Amino acid sequence: AGWPCLAVVPLHSATMMQPGYGAGQAYLAWALWQVGDTNAAQTALTQAQRLAPDIALTVGIAAQMRAAAGDATGALAAVQAWEGKHPTSPDLWSTQAELATQAGNWASEEDARWHLATDLHSADHAAALLDLAAFYLRSGLGVSDGRAQWAVTTAVATNPGNARALDLLGQWDWQQRQPDAATSALQAAIAAAPRNVLPHAHLAL
């Protein structure tokens, strides 16, 4: 239900009025998949792949549907193969990050999250920095060469007063064996968002 359900009818209309609208078929495939009509979704995706096989939208939606069907590793490989031949959009980097998370491929996830976080023109730049910092805390990568520290400190500087940023800083300080700094950061995160469970839990730990 929700927005995908509402999107199906106008997308059907658009693709009926313009049968060669490959991007519309790709959007329709994803909406149908979201509402559980997998057969119709596959038909629309097949049309999208025939009409617009080489656009990021078709590749991304095909990959997400493949991952949702249980093949995140294959979906990730398909996206990376496409990226090797074309300029990559922020949307496809986001798709790669999601697929890499599902597939447990840290190298690919870092690559995608790094691109998103360092794209200064992206509207989601500040949020992408938080996601990159969270990735380093979760994976344990990037500590020895400063990548993780750069991500955490830049995320905090770009998101001043943000509860998630302060929570990430608290976790980082704790990992660096700075309990006083960690406590201060987590208390600040709680003050910024008193009903956010995570900084309470991290402070308790």
Side-chain angles (χ1 to χ4, degrees):
W3 296 115
C5 186
L6 295 174
V8 168
V9 171
L11 285 168
H12 265 306
S13 298
T15 54
M16 287 176 65
M17 287 186 288
Q18 189 173 338
Y21 181 26
Q25 292 286 357
Y27 278 124
L28 177 60
W30 185 239
L32 289 166
W33 182 272
Q34 292 291 298
V35 300
D37 194 345
T38 55
N39 290 335
Q42 189 57 57
T43 299
L45 177 61
T46 300
Q47 285 287 83
Q49 290 171 322
R50 181 179 65 82
L51 295 166
D54 222 23
I55 65 171
L57 176 64
T58 300
V59 173
I61 289 175
Q64 290 182 58
M65 287 173 58
R66 185 171 175 178
D71 185 15
T73 300
L76 177 61
V79 167
Q80 289 178 307
W82 187 91
E83 288 172 341
K85 302 174 184 176
H86 304 83
T88 303
S89 68
D91 284 344
L92 206 57
W93 282 126
S94 294
T95 297
Q96 178 180 325
E98 293 170 13
L99 295 173
T101 302
Q102 294 175 47
N105 187 326
W106 280 350
S108 180
E109 183 178 354
E110 180 183 21
D111 180 45
R113 294 201 185 284
W114 187 270
H115 276 89
L116 289 165
T118 55
D119 181 359
L120 300 178
H121 303 293
S122 169
D124 298 325
H125 171 64
L129 276 165
L130 292 172
D131 290 339
L132 179 64
F135 164 77
Y136 282 127
L137 287 165
R138 171 167 45 88
S139 68
L141 299 178
V143 175
S144 60
D145 63 4
R147 299 194 316 275
Q149 183 173 9
W150 176 86
V152 172
T153 55
T154 307
V156 173
T158 308
N159 297 273
N162 178 281
R164 185 183 178 204
L166 292 165
D167 178 57
L168 291 170
L169 178 60
Q171 293 178 67
W172 171 256
D173 287 337
W174 178 254
Q175 288 186 8
Q176 300 307 300
R177 296 180 173 82
Q178 299 178 41
D180 291 340
T183 298
S184 296
L186 291 170
Q187 287 174 335
I190 291 169
R195 298 183 65 81
N196 187 338
V197 172
L198 287 178
H200 286 279
H202 293 142
L203 182 59
L205 291 171

